[in-house]
Amino acid sequence: MSITRLGIAMCVVAAIGIVTGVASTPVRAQSAHRCAAVAREQAQKLLAFHVGADDRIEIDKSVRTLLPMRNPANRLQRFDVLEVWGRIYKGQYRLRLIYARIPNECVLMGQEVLEYAGL
């Protein structure tokens, strides 16, 4: 195989990996956010507050770290955004919890609950 064909083949393989989400090289796993456990507990409380106390509330074990957001009061500061999914009976909810970036602390600055439903 010539160098040109080899280069084209490698580009095609890379493009297919990008489109399908399959990487040809190993990707480092994202470490858990220091506030992940606290976020799961807060998500349980938030969903109970939103729908009422119900023993059918389930919160996923996985906590996803999203892109940080700017502090609206100080554009130089950023907040960490953690996403947790919860369920109750047939409803599914996306919960986003916003934490201040303070070392060794998990200070909740905001929260969002959105029912995942097509209308």
Side-chain angles (χ1 to χ4, degrees), residues 6 27-28 37-38 43 51-52 56 59 65 85 98 101 112 116:
L6 180 61
V27 177
R28 187 182 309 164
V38 175
V51 298
R56 297 175 293 179
I59 301 297
T65 304
W85 285 86
I98 302 164
R101 287 185 168 176
E112 169 190 277
Y116 190 69

Side-chain angles (χ1 to χ4, degrees), residues 8-18 22 24:
I8 292 171
M10 289 176 65
C11 288
V12 168
V13 168
I16 291 171
I18 290 169
V22 177
S24 60

Side-chain angles (χ1 to χ4, degrees), residues 69-75 77 79:
M69 66 180 287
R70 282 191 176 149
N71 177 351
N74 182 346
R75 296 183 60 78
Q77 295 175 342
F79 293 143

